[in-house]
Amino acid sequence: MERIALISDIHGNLPAIQSVAQELKVQNIDKVICLGDMIGKGPNSAETLDVCREISDMVIMGNWEKFIGNNPTPGDVNWVEVLGKERLEYIKTLPETIGFYLSGKYVRLFHAHPHDLFKRVFSTSPLEERLEMFEIPKLGREECETCESDIVGYGDIHGAFIETINGGKTLFNTGSIGNACDYLPMASYVILEGNYGSKEPGNFGIQFCRVEYDTIKAANQAFHSNIPQKEAYIQEVKTGVYCIDRNKQ
Ligand SMILES: [Mn+2]
C-alpha cells in the first residue's frame, strides 16, 4: 500500500509547513499532494510556497492562487512584489482538480468544490450540497474518468472532518496546515493509504494527523510583518479559533 500525504491551506505560515515537512520525512510517505491556498493571510507567502512546491509531487489550485493569479494587485498587498513573477506565473498553471483510483475506489481531490473554487461546503451543509461534492468536476481536470467520485478530499474550510454518506461514499476535509480553525492550534493533514492506481477493490485508510509547531514564532513573524488583519491572524494561530470578522479563508 502507498501512503499519500495531503496538505492544504498553509497560508504563508512558514514554521507550520517546516514542522510538517520534518514530520513527513519520518512517516514513510510515498507521495505528497497539496490542495492549495499556500499563500495569503500569513506573513511568509513566497517562502511557504517554495517549501510546498519542493515537498509536493502535485499541487492543486486554491481560491487564493486563483484570485491572486487573476488580481495580483487587489489593493491591500502588491503580490507582484511579494511573490515575484515566476511564482505568480506558477500559481496560474496549477490544475483545479485531480483524480485517481485507490484500492478500487475513485478518489478526487480539489480545494473547495468540484464546480466552483469559491464555493464553501461544511460538514453541517445540507446533504444535497455534500452530495454535489462527488459529482464529476466542472472545474479543470487532469483526468477524464466519467464516473462520480467514491472518495472526495478537500481543504478550504480549515476544519478537519470525515463522513461516510449515501451508499458508502466518503467525504473528508484535510484541515489546515497554517491556519487551523477547528479549536486545535496545530497543523492538520491527512494520510491516505491504499493501492495507488489500482481498480481492484482492497483495503484503504484515511488517517488524520496533527503536528505541533511553534505558534509563538509564527505569531511573532506575523507581528513584525505588515499583513492585513494582523491581529486576527495572530489570534487564530495562537488559539485555533476562527475570527468571524475575517471574510476570506
Ligand atoms: Mn484557505
Side-chain angles (χ1 to χ4, degrees):
M1 291 215 289
E2 274 82 29
R3 283 162 63 79
I4 304 160
L6 307 179
I7 61 173
S8 190
D9 295 85
I10 307 93
H11 283 299
N13 186 334
L14 194 57
I17 191 62
Q18 285 173 334
S19 292
V20 171
Q22 282 303 113
E23 174 67 12
L24 294 180
K25 282 184 190 168
V26 297
Q27 281 285 353
N28 258 330
I29 299 298
D30 298 288
K31 206 184 274 293
V32 178
I33 302 176
C34 174
L35 306 191
D37 275 12
M38 299 175 284
I39 61 172
K41 297 189 86 172
N44 292 303
S45 284
E47 298 87 343
T48 298
L49 184 151
D50 290 343
V51 176
C52 291
R53 204 170 164 181
E54 187 185 318
I55 66 173
S56 300
D57 297 276
M58 278 178 267
V59 178
I60 302 169
M61 188 183 288
N63 52 280
W64 272 83
E65 284 85 15
K66 179 84 172 178
F67 180 78
I68 299 303
N70 291 331
N71 307 276
T73 52
D76 50 358
V77 176
N78 184 335
W79 288 93
V80 182
E81 280 175 16
V82 171
L83 293 181
K85 274 194 179 149
E86 197 276 338
R87 292 188 194 88
L88 261 183
E89 284 307 308
Y90 168 73
I91 61 175
K92 291 185 201 174
T93 66
L94 298 173
E96 294 177 326
T97 69
I98 63 166
F100 50 86
Y101 281 94
L102 185 79
S103 299
K105 306 282 186 198
Y106 200 68
V107 178
R108 278 198 185 92
L109 305 172
F110 42 76
H111 183 71
H113 186 279
H115 309 323
D116 184 349
L117 256 166
F118 297 92
K119 184 165 180 181
R120 193 151 280 161
V121 175
F122 296 93
S123 60
T124 51
S125 295
L127 178 62
E128 60 181 49
E129 284 184 25
R130 276 139 55 216
L131 288 173
E132 259 175 35
M133 298 292 271
F134 298 94
E135 292 176 1
I136 296 169
K138 291 177 187 160
L139 291 177
R141 292 207 277 157
E142 286 283 276
E143 36 87 41
C144 52
E145 283 292 329
T146 52
C147 60
E148 290 209 337
S149 312
D150 300 306
I151 299 173
V152 161
Y154 72 112
D156 185 53
I157 58 172
H158 299 208
F161 79 88
I162 186 165
E163 180 188 27
T164 302
I165 40 179
N166 202 36
K169 287 184 182 291
T170 303
L171 180 65
F172 71 89
N173 190 282
T174 62
S176 167
I177 298 285
N179 186 217
C181 292
D182 49 6
Y183 308 98
L184 192 57
M186 298 172 79
S188 176
Y189 77 99
V190 159
I191 298 174
L192 259 186
E193 279 184 304
N195 297 318
Y196 182 78
S198 173
K199 293 184 179 181
E200 280 295 306
N203 298 344
F204 72 95
I206 302 171
Q207 183 188 358
F208 287 80
C209 308
R210 301 301 287 240
V211 178
E212 285 194 315
Y213 72 95
D214 194 340
T215 54
I216 301 301
K217 187 176 177 182
N220 281 336
Q221 289 178 352
F223 183 79
H224 294 291
S225 76
N226 54 3
I227 54 168
Q229 296 178 290
K230 189 196 292 193
E231 289 75 22
Y233 174 80
I234 290 171
Q235 275 308 108
E236 286 174 359
V237 162
K238 284 182 172 174
T239 63
V241 179
Y242 179 54
C243 293
I244 50 169
D245 58 322
R246 290 158 70 94
N247 53 19
K248 276 192 291 191
Q249 286 205 344

